[in-house]
Amino acid sequence: MAVYSSITELIGNTPIIDVSHLSPNPDVRILAKLEGQNPAGSVKDRIALAMIEAAEASGELVPGRTIIEPSSGNTGIALAMLAGLRGYKIKIVLPENVTPERRQVLEAFGAEIISSPGAEGSNGAVRMAQALSEANPEWVFLYQYGNEANPTAHYETTGPEILADVPDITHFVAGLGTSGTLMGVGTYLKEAKPEVKLFAVEPPSGERVEGLRSLDDGYVPPVFDKWGGLDLLDGKRIVRPAESIEWTRRLITDCGIFAGLSSGAALAGAVKVAARHDAAVDGPAVIVFVVCDGAWKYLSTGAYTSPLADVVENLGDTIYF
Amino acid sequence: MSITVRLPTVLRPQANGQSTVKVEGSNVGEVVNSLVAAYPGLQSNLLDDSGSVRKFVNIYINDEDIRFLDKLQTPVSEGDEVAILPAVAGG
């Protein structure tokens, strides 16, 4: 084993594990890319490093300056880890209804948390960060939703890793979120293998966000539109909390993968794609989906151990993507 | 054909506070038309002046985004559920 000089060298090159025993179709393999193996615990380590390095290269970010970013957790945690290493102050705008674990991890890495109204969900955090960065132009607003370094990081690292490990990939399934993973990986895969299909999964968050005044308060990330968005994708579906939790639990009990809740949603999407795949027409399929992070930050929701009906009821008010 | 439509919190005030409503239609477009006929306050929220689904509105049939099916022409059948959701950020 090599000895590394910085934790940042451990970002990326995550393993892929075969979980085909969960596939409903014997002609379809399902493979999980374990992004929770990144040092700050999620896929967001990649974009945090890329966004910081891009801001350093442009001269905008120099030691002593303050970063501000809206995040429901993972991006904030990854940025806070890197900010601490590189001498930046960091403020994370975090919806107040995320799990307490996320707040604690952020604080442990030295971030200052600015709470945004839980009723406004992630959209409210984005709006608040935008307003704060306008009021404080000396702060560096990385803005993951519109930062080219976000999809570019996936285009340059995640995508090539997947194709190198799984040259026979036919489908890629991931959560939508900022859309950086799907746009970056998807663009790379389609350039290399145009027949690869891309599927997005989403939680039904918009159903319960109380603070939206109208549907015009909805939010489509600039990254999504700029990188082809709907034209790049082959399908998009919502996965409801009960299904996300059931498949997350299967990842743990049947595969030993201690996965976060969005991973169960991605797996649920992969299973749907597998069930519908007709190998007699299209040949065998190999689906890669992303396990974004581990279960640690979601344990307090009860999603891993409480009766399913109770969890579904409680999760209605918690942001878990 | 009677189709269940799930409405997000933000639209419920325009539908007498209901979270689900039942309307008639044989495709998603007809379902949307029945919906706005019954609850006219929803029209401007869902459709633009040309009758297309607005950008921040996602319509799903049995949890699949209709933009990847046949859009408003997507057929529906008894027991299907149409969900209307605003686009929400993640990350």
Side-chain angles (χ1 to χ4, degrees), chain A residues 44 71-72 75 122-123 126 144-145 177-178 202 204-210 212-216 218-220 225 230 233-238 240 276, chain B residues 6-12 14 44-46 54-69 81 83-91:
Chain A
K44 298 295 192 170
S71 172
S72 53
T75 304
S122 293
N123 293 7
V126 175
Q144 56 176 325
Y145 302 93
T178 69
E202 287 192 288
S205 321
E207 206 157 73
R208 60 175 193 264
V209 176
E210 308 275 344
L212 294 177
R213 289 173 298 261
S214 76
L215 294 182
D216 284 341
Y219 190 75
V220 176
D225 282 341
L230 294 169
L233 296 179
D234 295 286
K236 174 156 137 327
R237 64 177 301 115
I238 43 180
R240 296 186 178 276
R276 282 185 199 170
Chain B
R6 286 170 80 126
L7 297 173
T9 312
V10 64
L11 293 183
R12 291 175 198 167
Q14 279 95 52
S44 63
N45 275 293
L46 299 181
R54 302 182 66 184
K55 182 177 171 74
F56 296 123
V57 179
N58 292 321
I59 300 180
Y60 299 84
I61 171 162
N62 300 331
D63 292 346
E64 280 194 76
D65 191 324
I66 63 161
R67 291 189 177 98
F68 296 96
L69 302 170
E81 185 179 88
I84 297 171
L85 292 176
V88 166

Side-chain angles (χ1 to χ4, degrees), chain A residues 128-240:
Chain A
M128 183 183 277
Q130 277 166 334
L132 284 168
S133 80
E134 280 162 25
N136 299 277
E138 73 280 13
W139 294 352
V140 177
F141 184 27
L142 294 172
Y143 190 42
Q144 56 176 325
Y145 302 93
N147 192 320
E148 280 295 290
N150 170 2
T152 302
H154 292 294
Y155 180 86
E156 291 178 350
T157 69
T158 325
E161 288 170 27
I162 290 170
L163 192 62
D165 288 342
V166 190
D168 54 350
I169 182 173
T170 56
H171 300 75
F172 179 68
V173 181
L176 203 50
T178 69
S179 80
T181 307
L182 271 163
M183 294 297 107
V185 171
T187 300
Y188 179 84
L189 290 177
K190 290 216 177 203
E191 282 175 10
K193 283 187 78 173
E195 67 275 23
V196 171
K197 303 272 188 246
L198 301 178
F199 290 91
V201 295
E202 287 192 288
S205 321
E207 206 157 73
R208 60 175 193 264
V209 176
E210 308 275 344
L212 294 177
R213 289 173 298 261
S214 76
L215 294 182
D216 284 341
D217 287 346
Y219 190 75
V220 176
V223 161
F224 184 71
D225 282 341
K226 195 162 173 192
W227 281 61
L230 294 169
D231 294 333
L232 189 68
L233 296 179
D234 295 286
K236 174 156 137 327
R237 64 177 301 115
I238 43 180
V239 178
R240 296 186 178 276

